[in-house]
Structure formats: C-alpha cells, structure tokens
Amino acid sequence: LDDDEEPQKQAALGKKGLGILRKNFCRTCAAQQQSAKNDASSQNDARSIKRVLVVIDVQDGYDSEFIASLPADVGGSLGFIQDEHAVKASYELGSRALITAYEPGSEPKISYNKGWNKGLPGEAMDTVAARAVTEIQSGEYELIVFTTDYLERSGAEELGVFPLDKTPWSDPTKPVALVGYDKYLTIAAGCPGVDISRRIREKLPDVTSANGKEGTANGTPALYLRKQVDDAFDEDREASQRTGGAAW
C-alpha cells in the first residue's frame, strides 16, 4: 500500500483503486494544505482559509462485515447474493430489448454475487473510519462533508446487469438478466447499508445521514451529500420521468 509509484496501482480504478492510492492521496492533500497555509500566512490572510473535511462513501453498504451480518433473506446481504435466484426474462445488453420471457419452472438461475458487492475487508474499513473520526475530533475543520451512494430501487430506470451466457461483452446482443439494485446491494433506497459507517457512528453519535442533508459531526456543522452515481459531481444534467421532467 505504501508503494504508490507502481504502474498497476496508479492505474487502479473504482473504490478499490481509491483504497490503494489513499496514502499517496492523503500525503498530496496534506502538502497542498500546508502550501495554502504558507501562502496565506505570507499574505497575512490566514484567517480567510476555511478547512473542510470530505469523507467519501464510508458507509455500511461497503463494509464486508456489515453485509455478512445481515439475515440471508435481506437483499444485498452476503447470504442473499450467494444464493441462486430465478431469472424471469433475458434482455439484449445494448438495446435492453426482451429476448425471452421464461415460463414458470423453466427459468435459469443465477447468483447475485459480483465479488465486489461483498464489500471491503473489515480491517480496511476500520482503518478508514478511525482516521475519519480522528480528523473530525481534531476540531481543525469548519465543515464536515459526508458523501454517500444512494441508488434507486427495483423498477427505476437503473438496473444491474448479470450475464446469462459466455457471449462476449462487446456484443450488444449478449443476453443478460436485469436485476434491481436492492437485490444485490444494500445502498439502494430504503436498504440497510445507506447510512454512514457504523464504525464512525459508534464513536460520534450525532453523525447520521438519516436526518437529512444537514447536521453535525462531533458538534461541527456537517453536510450530507447523497448521490445517485459518482459523476454526480460533474455539470451534466438529466431531465426524465424520474426527475419529473426537470433538469437535475
């Protein structure tokens, strides 16, 4: 984890990649913060600097120990995703056009286990949560921002894709099953993994995303940013049925 110069680690993607690169990221941020402090000090303007801590997607739904602790009949739990589930219909990967609607009793069965949806190791989650708690308790920040992934439920426009055969993913006619997020993830709306990690909440009782967009973290003003996807930070907007025709 300390060797951030390895090409394969630099090229790592997604949350796993963020985990691998987190030490280099923290070092870089620390250097930038110190540089900003020095610049402000030299200009006798240090008081204009506002320090904001951003805690990104440290939530129960990415914690393997939390996922494993849920009953096997709960969507997204370890027991549920490892079980076999009947597929009611198959669709083309590219167009989402219906291929086959299976008769009862003839349905193929699939597991909802994608590997990554089993969560990150508890030890890694504990390390990240402990660092967040330490930073929050330091009192050095004027604002704490928590981001959380929050996905729409089954029946919305977004559905997870599961392969039904070995047709290459490059083929747009590849048959796939479409599965609601709430069946294989616990970060879907109304599911048990949407809140800030219990590892943080146990240490800081006022921390929770359940009470809306504003709150506190150890007494410091906090903002809770709930996002549908990771590109929610860009400038693109969507106008569709699910946004009521408004551009969001």
Side-chain angles (χ1 to χ4, degrees), residues 34-245:
Q34 187 60 50
S35 176
K37 281 185 177 180
N38 294 341
D39 290 344
S41 179
S42 65
Q43 298 173 20
N44 296 317
D45 195 27
R47 287 180 297 178
S48 68
I49 293 179
K50 303 297 183 184
R51 301 196 70 193
V52 177
L53 176 68
V54 182
V55 182
I56 302 175
D57 300 352
V58 184
Q59 57 195 112
D60 283 335
Y62 292 123
D63 188 329
S64 63
E65 292 183 3
F66 173 81
I67 293 170
S69 72
L70 297 172
D73 60 348
V74 173
S77 69
L78 183 62
F80 193 84
I81 64 175
Q82 290 181 329
D83 199 2
E84 294 290 310
H85 302 274
V87 176
K88 295 182 179 180
S90 62
Y91 301 86
E92 289 187 359
L93 173 63
S95 67
R96 302 295 175 95
L98 177 66
I99 299 175
T100 304
Y102 298 103
E103 293 293 332
S106 67
E107 309 101 326
K109 292 187 176 182
I110 61 172
S111 162
Y112 294 159
N113 182 7
K114 287 180 172 287
W116 55 264
N117 61 332
K118 292 192 294 184
L120 297 171
E123 183 179 353
M125 290 293 296
D126 208 33
T127 298
V128 172
R131 173 66 186 277
V133 170
T134 297
E135 292 293 332
I136 292 169
Q137 290 179 330
S138 71
E140 295 183 2
Y141 300 92
E142 283 75 28
L143 177 67
I144 312 298
V145 178
F146 294 93
T147 74
T148 54
D149 284 334
Y150 186 86
L151 306 176
E152 294 183 359
R153 296 292 295 270
S154 176
E157 294 177 2
E158 288 82 7
L159 295 168
V161 174
F162 288 77
L164 293 177
D165 64 17
K166 295 184 179 180
T167 301
W169 285 100
S170 58
D171 186 342
T173 66
K174 177 181 178 65
V176 297
L178 301 179
V179 178
Y181 286 143
D182 60 309
K183 302 300 183 186
Y184 68 99
L185 294 169
T186 63
I187 58 171
C191 292
V194 297
D195 206 349
I196 306 302
S197 172
R198 57 187 175 145
R199 300 173 190 270
I200 295 177
R201 290 185 284 116
E202 287 171 356
K203 301 294 184 181
L204 306 173
D206 58 339
V207 170
T208 179
S209 61
N211 294 333
K213 62 184 179 181
E214 296 180 358
T216 59
N218 199 45
T220 300
L223 177 66
Y224 296 89
L225 175 60
R226 190 177 75 187
K227 55 192 176 66
Q228 169 76 2
V229 287
D230 285 336
D231 61 8
F233 293 109
D234 68 21
E235 296 179 352
D236 291 341
R237 292 174 177 266
E238 172 190 338
S240 65
Q241 181 178 0
R242 69 184 177 130
T243 67

